[in-house]
Amino acid sequence: MPALTDHSARGDASKKTRASRVAEELRRAILAGDFAPGEKVNLDQMRARFGVSLSPMREAISRLVADELVQFEDQRGYRIAPVSRANLAEVTRLRADLESLALRHAIAAASIEWEADLLAALHRSRRDAHGDTEAACGTFHAALSEGCPLPMLVRYCATLRALHLRYGHLLGFTDPGRDFGAEHAAIAEAAIARNAELAPALLKQDIERTGRRMTGLMPADDPDPKRTAP
């Protein structure tokens, strides 16, 4: 019997590994805009594309439902999450509120390691050749939140940051008039100085400005909220 148990455990681990790999690959593809918002998900086509059986494919898809990248509808199955001006506004508001809250907690629990990681992330964002894009800001924003000692809050921040990034890719968003290096430096300086009022305020301002400019690129929402893609 132990041999059966070991074999079963190896099988479960292999399935989880496949599901994790597929979930990560599919997440990257959705964030990059490779799938159209509202597009119907055909599980058979998906499993053929990723070279896995149906079970790990379903598990991978379910993880992305939790990340708000895929939606499940009774009687209709899975769809790539749609986009809208209203949703972008909500993502922006939640991201600004929660990342600034996470930064407050990070400052309260600040360590030398967190400061070092933050300065390293700031340096990388400045050296990035595409530093005027939302994608280039991701490492810096993640470093701000990762000092927070509340794991659930850190995960929520990461999810919202990914959703914002998806909008940026779908819209081809750039903001060449912004000096992200200066904005990030000001946030980092205030955070390292343990200024729990200024640093979160600057961070919130940074996220809200990006959100407003992306929203300006979005078409008006369909006035019929019940209408869905065919």
Side-chain angles (χ1 to χ4, degrees):
M1 293 303 294
L4 292 176
T5 301
D6 291 344
H7 178 76
S8 175
R10 286 196 298 272
D12 288 345
S14 176
K15 185 177 102 172
K16 289 179 180 178
T17 298
R18 290 195 300 272
S20 297
R21 173 181 62 81
V22 172
E24 186 54 38
E25 290 181 11
L26 184 54
R27 178 183 288 107
R28 285 198 297 266
I30 295 173
L31 293 179
D34 293 346
F35 293 96
E39 179 179 340
K40 195 168 185 177
V41 174
N42 184 305
L43 290 177
D44 286 332
Q45 291 178 0
M46 282 287 188
R47 70 185 184 83
R49 170 174 177 157
F50 291 102
V52 296
S53 63
L54 189 58
S55 181
M57 190 70 243
R58 285 186 181 278
E59 183 177 338
I61 288 288
S62 69
R63 296 185 190 185
L64 300 188
V65 171
D67 289 341
E68 302 286 339
L69 294 173
V70 174
Q71 289 185 350
F72 176 76
E73 300 174 343
D74 287 335
Q75 310 299 321
R76 304 189 70 168
Y78 295 100
R79 289 181 181 274
I80 303 300
V83 296
S84 67
R85 286 175 67 103
N87 178 254
L88 175 54
E90 181 177 3
V91 169
T92 299
R93 181 173 181 178
L94 289 173
R95 183 187 172 195
D97 287 347
L98 293 187
E99 281 199 26
S100 59
L101 176 62
L103 181 54
R104 288 181 188 276
H105 285 288
I107 290 172
S111 65
I112 295 299
E113 291 75 17
W114 176 66
E115 288 186 8
D117 289 343
L118 182 56
L119 290 174
L122 174 64
H123 180 65
R124 284 195 296 272
S125 72
R126 282 173 158 175
R127 289 180 60 87
D128 193 292
H130 304 287
D132 59 343
T133 67
E134 178 70 4
C137 301
T139 300
F140 176 73
H141 281 268
L144 291 169
S145 298
E146 285 167 3
C148 172
L150 304 176
M152 288 177 63
L153 179 55
V154 174
R155 287 197 298 273
Y156 294 150
C157 289
T159 295
L160 292 164
R161 202 158 46 244
L163 294 175
H164 234 206
L165 179 62
R166 181 191 179 210
Y167 273 99
H169 282 153
L170 289 170
L171 294 168
F173 176 74
T174 60
D175 203 350
R178 299 266 300 273
D179 187 346
F180 283 98
E183 291 181 22
H184 290 172
I187 296 169
E189 181 179 348
I192 292 172
R194 308 292 197 272
N195 192 327
E197 295 301 322
L198 179 59
L202 291 175
L203 175 59
K204 188 172 184 178
Q205 183 181 71
D206 173 280
I207 295 169
E208 289 176 339
R209 182 181 295 121
T210 296
R212 283 195 304 271
R213 296 188 179 183
M214 285 199 295
T215 299
L217 299 176
M218 290 285 294
D221 289 346
D222 191 319
D224 182 358
K226 295 182 180 179
R227 188 176 303 173
T228 57

